[in-house]
Amino acid sequence: MGSNKNSPNNFFSKVLEFICKEELYEELQGDLDEEFKINVEKFGIQHAKRIYRKEVFKMMRPSVLKRLSINHTMRTPLLFHFFKISFRNLKRNFSYALLNVIGFAAALAVCLFCINAIYSNQQLDKKFSDGDRIYRVNLESKTLEGTSLSATSQIALYQKIQEALPEAENIALIQNQVMYTAAYLKGARRNLLGQGINRDFFKIFDYEMVLGSAESLFDNPKHIIITKKVMDKYYQEETVIGSSLGNYIISGVIEDPAKVSHLDFEFLHSKYEDHTGSPFYTSWKVHTMQILYIKVLPNIEATYVQEKLSQLSKEINEELNNEDEGIEYNYLLEPLDKVAQSNASLNKGALLSSDAQNMLIALMIVILIIANFNYTNLAMASAISRAKEVGIRKVLGTGKYSLVYQLLIETTILSLLGFGLALLIFKLLVPSVASFTDFNFQEHLAFDQVLLFFSFSLLTGIISGVVPGLFFSRISIMSLFRKSTGRNKLSIDFLKKGLMTTQVTVSLLVFTLGILVLSQSSLILNQTTPFSGEQLVALDLPPSDSLSIVFRTEVERLTGIESVAGTRAIPFIGSFGYYGVRKQHIDDPTHRHSAVILQADSGFLSTFSQSIEWLADKKMIKDRPYFLVNRAFATSMSDSIRRFNETTFSLGLDYYPVMGMISDLNLTDPVEAAKPAAIMITHEYPLGTLILRLNKASFARTLGEIGELYKTRYPNIDFQPVFVDDVLANRMRQFKGIVRALIFVFAAIVAITLMGQIGMAMYQAKTREKEIGVRKVLGASLRQVVQLILKSTLLQLIIAALIACPVAYLLFSELPLDFAVPLSVSTYHFAGAFLLFSLIIFTLVSSQTWKTASQNPVDSLQNE
Amino acid sequence: MKGTHLGEFQEVVLLVILSLDSNAYGVTIKQEIMNKVNRDISRGALHTALSRLEEKGFITSEQGEAHEDRGGRRKRYYTVTNTGLTALHEARSLRDELWSQIPKIKLYPGYGK
């Protein structure tokens, strides 16, 4: 035999063998082999192989190709016949089919929204020029607590970057000290989210100006630029420029940032702190007040810039002696096209971080699996109800696959109809869903998204047609007519019951999980905070010790003021830096614990008095600073030697005791479990921020008086009071957005499974039509009939509960998050979910049975 | 008449089979067509023509001997049937008749000058 080199291509020979009719193969392959040998001598091996390959391709013609079995059965008249039967069946069971279609369409529509949200998120920030040269500088802080990445960084970083990075063509700042400005718009007090920016902001983020110019912002410190959304809500386009908003004057209108970028604000102003500003804000410990972006010069590598930033990080850490406190700052570049998906915390706006996107994709897969299961289940049930018809056809000699094709056509028509309906639902609901959840949605879908869901619908139709079809083609004819065959476990009856129980179990599982997740969310949203923020107004004072003391004294004299507290900053806006706290009884200077500390003066006690649980006699601490700690602090700071209230703590110099507890104080993320935190009551006057408790009855008047006093003492600075209740409400804003989205998704899932239940109830009623008719004839009352049906439903529910409840519990406890108020799952949750679900199921089954039982028994006992 | 009609290529194949006498099988038929008629056809196209001719009854086939060059596979030899011969003659006489009806002046522009 010749070597491999001189034989034709093995692969193509196999192809020929695969496609060629058996009776022709020997002749044709033989001829090709012989010709190959001749060609090798004439033209050489390569050319001969080329000719061979061409010959094999040209063998693809009807006279040579094997006949596929489909050709036997799928001739056109037969296909047409199948379609006719399918439409007839669908017409006969119209409501059942409709239910199936709607349930499937609902599931697809929900997934379309989810995938659209992810896609829209990825489309953000694409409009800015030179986007590939724009980066955000994130701060990675390593503390004793662990490592965290935040989108915000310290105010003082700006000057450092200016000095260290000549490669930065532009450096844009966004600052949040003046987060809200209160203004009376359309007759009510509104708080608008504003951000301070510098000139380079527009050089990096070249948003479209709807009215006015971007430069106008810097002509006058009173100028602001509002978004189109704000203009549409509160102003007229013709008169908006020059109108006032609080103490500001509107000089321009900009396109809505949340629609095109990861940024979200309602207005922009030009005031920002620099490195010489207030000592608190420029402290390196506070990193929540500023977001910094750079646009790198052309032809500079990002890696080079990152190296320089890492070098800068090192220098800053050394300068601040961070090592002593166990802190390390690292500044990391994040490219603009990744920012909208960033996992960095304090990313403003309704964005989907990549973690959230993954979770959403996982949810989508779950919904699609449930939809597919639902659909297949209902299709199977529908097929089972036609068992006798199938039996008769088999007796008459119908082919094995013709049954499969029949069901396949029916289920595929329905699933594609469902797909069409899903697209329609999406188109109609996109505007309302977008406003409900704050997320971005594109009005139209991308082609590959549509293709993906079309393929899924087709696949579902195929699976739900093939599964029952194959089942029927294999089952014996007698089993189709008998209710149950003694030995054969796979009787129709058993299958019916199995399907119904499975449907109930899946529905109950989803229902229970939904209730658990929603209970957890509502616990977090309604958690108690030690401060309600009612009647509290916070005011940042410009840095000036003497003026601050004077101002405070004057404010304290106002009749409408109930109490005044001084703090280092407005609590609950973002989070503060962590301090390395040392314990007195531990000698080792490197032994530190991390805690969030807010310094306040004794006025704090009267302003926030109700929440404090005193551990010692207040008289003891007249002039000495002390701590008021939360539960997490108490737990983490207690050790085997001393408990937290038996020792003293230091932030670097002197040691002070703990005098009281504010158990539920949470100065960090309110969604997660509270980190160790404390208020340090100090007598260090004056602290930069005043928290004023105003009398409720004279609130507006007192606020006005404070404003007047402020203008007198600080004539060049705007009076910007911050309402603490708004701040507290806003803390949860993003979480609330997520919860709303979760409610939407869960409601959809529950609705889909319940639709499956309705389908099952209808199916059950239909299949027992004759039995019900006979019972009525024998004298049973309507109530008795309904009770009989409910008895079997109860059994299904009990089996479902035994499976679904433990599974729900397991799935819920797999949630990786550490919540501020963790839900303690108890039997009450499961019992409640089970009872509510059972009530729904009983209602569904009863209503369907009632309908059937109310029919004239003559009609139901007649031949169909 | 339908079903017994002989296409141009089918006519060529029948003539080539006749000319090859007892050595008419796939490879030789293909080669002969290439050499005599200067038409490079694929083996698949030839197979289609052969199977149609066989369906019409113009040729028959039988298996021959195996050969090492063919990977030990047998050849299939084709012969023209009487029906095929008749069809060939008919096609030829039809053509001759059509040719004879055309005035020579049209076929040979310089004729008679």
Side-chain angles (χ1 to χ4, degrees), chain A residues 788-827:
Chain A
L788 176 73
I789 305 291
L790 286 182
K791 242 201 309 195
S792 58
T793 310
L794 183 62
L795 183 62
Q796 289 166 18
L797 280 169
I798 291 171
I799 297 174
L802 288 172
I803 302 172
C805 294
V807 174
Y809 178 76
L810 272 169
L811 286 175
F812 187 73
S813 40
E814 282 304 298
L815 276 177
L817 299 165
D818 174 26
F819 290 118
V821 196
L823 181 73
S824 49
V825 180
S826 74
T827 8

Coordinates of all heavy atoms in Angstrom, one line a residue, chain A residues 788-827:
Chain A
L788 N -63.9 17.1 46.5 CA -63.2 15.9 46.0 C -61.9 16.3 45.2 O -60.8 15.7 45.4 CB -64.1 15.1 45.1 CG -63.5 13.8 44.5 CD1 -63.3 12.8 45.6 CD2 -64.4 13.3 43.4
I789 N -62.1 17.2 44.3 CA -60.9 17.6 43.5 C -59.8 18.3 44.4 O -58.6 18.1 44.2 CB -61.3 18.7 42.4 CG1 -62.5 18.1 41.6 CG2 -60.2 19.1 41.6 CD1 -62.0 16.9 40.7
L790 N -60.3 19.1 45.4 CA -59.3 19.8 46.2 C -58.5 18.8 47.1 O -57.4 19.1 47.4 CB -60.1 20.8 47.1 CG -60.5 22.0 46.4 CD1 -61.2 23.0 47.4 CD2 -59.4 22.8 45.7
K791 N -59.1 17.6 47.4 CA -58.4 16.7 48.2 C -57.1 16.2 47.5 O -56.1 16.1 48.1 CB -59.3 15.4 48.4 CG -59.6 15.2 49.9 CD -60.1 13.8 50.3 CE -61.2 13.2 49.5 NZ -61.8 12.1 50.2
S792 N -57.2 15.9 46.2 CA -56.0 15.5 45.5 C -55.0 16.7 45.3 O -53.8 16.5 45.4 CB -56.4 14.9 44.1 OG -57.1 15.9 43.3
T793 N -55.6 17.9 45.2 CA -54.7 19.1 45.2 C -53.9 19.2 46.5 O -52.7 19.6 46.4 CB -55.5 20.3 44.9 OG1 -56.4 20.1 43.8 CG2 -54.6 21.5 44.6
L794 N -54.6 18.9 47.6 CA -53.9 19.1 48.9 C -52.7 18.2 49.0 O -51.7 18.5 49.4 CB -55.0 18.8 50.0 CG -54.4 18.9 51.4 CD1 -54.1 20.4 51.7 CD2 -55.5 18.5 52.4
L795 N -52.9 16.9 48.5 CA -51.8 16.0 48.5 C -50.6 16.5 47.7 O -49.5 16.4 48.2 CB -52.3 14.6 47.9 CG -51.3 13.5 47.9 CD1 -51.0 13.2 49.4 CD2 -51.9 12.2 47.3
Q796 N -50.9 17.0 46.5 CA -49.9 17.6 45.7 C -49.1 18.7 46.5 O -47.9 18.8 46.4 CB -50.4 18.2 44.4 CG -50.9 17.2 43.4 CD -51.7 17.9 42.4 OE1 -51.7 19.1 42.2 NE2 -52.5 17.1 41.7
L797 N -49.9 19.6 47.2 CA -49.3 20.7 47.9 C -48.4 20.2 49.0 O -47.4 20.8 49.2 CB -50.4 21.6 48.5 CG -51.1 22.5 47.5 CD1 -52.3 23.2 48.1 CD2 -50.1 23.6 47.1
I798 N -48.9 19.1 49.7 CA -48.0 18.6 50.8 C -46.7 18.1 50.3 O -45.6 18.4 50.8 CB -48.8 17.6 51.6 CG1 -50.0 18.2 52.4 CG2 -47.9 16.8 52.6 CD1 -50.9 17.3 53.0
I799 N -46.8 17.3 49.2 CA -45.5 16.8 48.6 C -44.6 18.0 48.2 O -43.4 18.0 48.4 CB -45.8 15.9 47.4 CG1 -46.6 14.7 47.9 CG2 -44.6 15.5 46.7 CD1 -47.1 13.8 46.7
A800 N -45.3 19.0 47.6 CA -44.5 20.1 47.1 C -43.8 20.8 48.2 O -42.6 21.2 48.2 CB -45.5 21.1 46.4
A801 N -44.6 21.0 49.4 CA -44.0 21.7 50.5 C -42.8 20.9 51.1 O -41.8 21.5 51.4 CB -45.0 21.8 51.6
L802 N -42.9 19.6 51.1 CA -41.8 18.8 51.6 C -40.5 18.9 50.8 O -39.4 18.8 51.3 CB -42.2 17.3 51.7 CG -43.3 16.9 52.8 CD1 -43.8 15.5 52.6 CD2 -42.7 17.1 54.1
I803 N -40.7 19.2 49.5 CA -39.5 19.3 48.7 C -39.1 20.8 48.6 O -37.9 21.1 48.8 CB -39.8 18.8 47.2 CG1 -40.2 17.3 47.3 CG2 -38.5 19.0 46.4 CD1 -40.6 16.8 46.0
A804 N -40.0 21.7 48.3 CA -39.7 23.1 48.1 C -39.1 23.8 49.2 O -38.2 24.6 49.1 CB -40.9 23.8 47.5
C805 N -39.7 23.6 50.4 CA -39.2 24.4 51.6 C -37.8 24.2 51.9 O -37.0 25.2 52.1 CB -40.1 24.2 52.8 SG -41.8 24.8 52.5
P806 N -37.3 22.9 52.1 CA -35.9 22.8 52.4 C -35.0 23.3 51.3 O -33.9 23.9 51.5 CB -35.7 21.2 52.5 CG -37.0 20.7 52.6 CD -38.0 21.6 52.0
V807 N -35.4 23.1 50.0 CA -34.6 23.7 48.9 C -34.5 25.2 48.9 O -33.4 25.8 48.8 CB -35.2 23.2 47.5 CG1 -34.4 23.8 46.4 CG2 -35.1 21.7 47.4
A808 N -35.7 25.8 49.2 CA -35.7 27.3 49.3 C -34.8 27.8 50.4 O -34.0 28.7 50.3 CB -37.1 27.8 49.6
Y809 N -34.8 27.1 51.6 CA -34.0 27.4 52.7 C -32.5 27.3 52.3 O -31.7 28.2 52.6 CB -34.3 26.5 53.9 CG -33.4 26.8 55.1 CD1 -33.6 27.9 55.9 CD2 -32.3 26.0 55.4 CE1 -32.8 28.2 57.0 CE2 -31.5 26.2 56.5 CZ -31.8 27.3 57.3 OH -31.0 27.6 58.4
L810 N -32.1 26.2 51.6 CA -30.7 26.0 51.2 C -30.3 27.1 50.3 O -29.2 27.7 50.4 CB -30.6 24.7 50.5 CG -30.3 23.5 51.4 CD1 -30.5 22.2 50.7 CD2 -29.0 23.5 52.0
L811 N -31.1 27.4 49.3 CA -30.7 28.4 48.3 C -30.6 29.8 48.9 O -29.7 30.5 48.6 CB -31.8 28.5 47.2 CG -31.8 27.3 46.2 CD1 -33.0 27.4 45.2 CD2 -30.5 27.3 45.4
F812 N -31.5 30.1 49.8 CA -31.4 31.4 50.5 C -30.2 31.6 51.4 O -29.6 32.6 51.4 CB -32.7 31.7 51.3 CG -32.8 33.0 51.9 CD1 -33.1 34.1 51.0 CD2 -32.6 33.3 53.2 CE1 -33.1 35.4 51.5 CE2 -32.7 34.6 53.7 CZ -32.9 35.6 52.9
S813 N -29.8 30.5 52.1 CA -28.7 30.6 52.9 C -27.4 30.6 52.1 O -26.3 30.9 52.7 CB -28.6 29.5 54.0 OG -29.1 28.3 53.5
E814 N -27.5 30.4 50.8 CA -26.3 30.4 50.0 C -25.9 31.9 49.6 O -24.9 32.1 49.0 CB -26.5 29.6 48.7 CG -26.3 28.1 48.9 CD -25.0 27.7 49.5 OE1 -24.0 28.0 48.9 OE2 -25.0 27.2 50.6
L815 N -26.8 32.8 49.8 CA -26.6 34.2 49.5 C -25.3 34.7 50.2 O -25.3 34.6 51.4 CB -27.8 35.1 49.9 CG -29.0 35.1 48.9 CD1 -30.1 36.0 49.5 CD2 -28.6 35.7 47.6
P816 N -24.4 35.2 49.4 CA -23.1 35.5 50.0 C -23.0 36.8 50.8 O -22.1 37.1 51.4 CB -22.2 35.6 48.7 CG -23.1 36.1 47.7 CD -24.5 35.5 48.0
L817 N -24.1 37.7 50.7 CA -24.0 39.0 51.3 C -24.2 39.0 52.8 O -24.9 38.2 53.3 CB -25.0 39.9 50.6 CG -24.8 40.1 49.1 CD1 -26.0 40.7 48.5 CD2 -23.6 41.0 48.9
D818 N -23.5 39.9 53.4 CA -23.6 40.0 54.8 C -24.5 41.3 55.1 O -24.0 42.4 55.1 CB -22.1 40.2 55.3 CG -22.1 40.5 56.8 OD1 -23.0 40.1 57.5 OD2 -21.1 41.2 57.2
F819 N -25.7 41.0 55.4 CA -26.6 42.2 55.5 C -26.6 42.8 56.9 O -26.3 42.2 57.9 CB -28.1 41.7 55.2 CG -28.3 41.4 53.8 CD1 -28.7 40.1 53.4 CD2 -28.1 42.4 52.8 CE1 -28.9 39.8 52.0 CE2 -28.3 42.1 51.5 CZ -28.7 40.8 51.1
A820 N -27.0 44.1 56.9 CA -27.0 44.9 58.1 C -28.0 44.3 59.1 O -27.8 44.2 60.3 CB -27.5 46.3 57.8
V821 N -29.2 43.9 58.5 CA -30.1 43.2 59.4 C -30.4 41.9 58.8 O -31.4 41.8 58.0 CB -31.4 44.1 59.5 CG1 -32.3 43.6 60.6 CG2 -31.1 45.5 59.6
P822 N -29.7 40.9 59.1 CA -29.9 39.6 58.4 C -31.3 39.0 58.8 O -31.7 39.1 60.0 CB -28.7 38.7 58.9 CG -28.2 39.4 60.2 CD -28.6 40.8 60.1
L823 N -31.9 38.4 57.9 CA -33.2 37.8 58.1 C -33.0 36.5 58.9 O -32.2 35.6 58.4 CB -33.9 37.5 56.8 CG -35.3 36.9 56.8 CD1 -36.3 37.9 57.3 CD2 -35.7 36.4 55.5
S824 N -33.6 36.3 60.0 CA -33.5 35.0 60.7 C -34.7 34.2 60.2 O -35.9 34.4 60.5 CB -33.6 35.2 62.2 OG -34.6 36.0 62.6
V825 N -34.4 33.3 59.3 CA -35.4 32.5 58.6 C -36.1 31.5 59.6 O -35.4 30.8 60.3 CB -34.8 31.7 57.5 CG1 -35.9 30.9 56.8 CG2 -34.1 32.6 56.5
S826 N -37.4 31.7 59.8 CA -38.1 30.8 60.7 C -39.2 30.0 60.0 O -39.5 30.3 58.9 CB -38.6 31.6 61.9 OG -39.8 32.3 61.4
T827 N -39.8 29.1 60.8 CA -40.9 28.3 60.2 C -42.0 29.2 59.8 O -42.8 28.9 58.9 CB -41.4 27.3 61.3 OG1 -40.8 27.6 62.5 CG2 -41.1 25.9 60.8

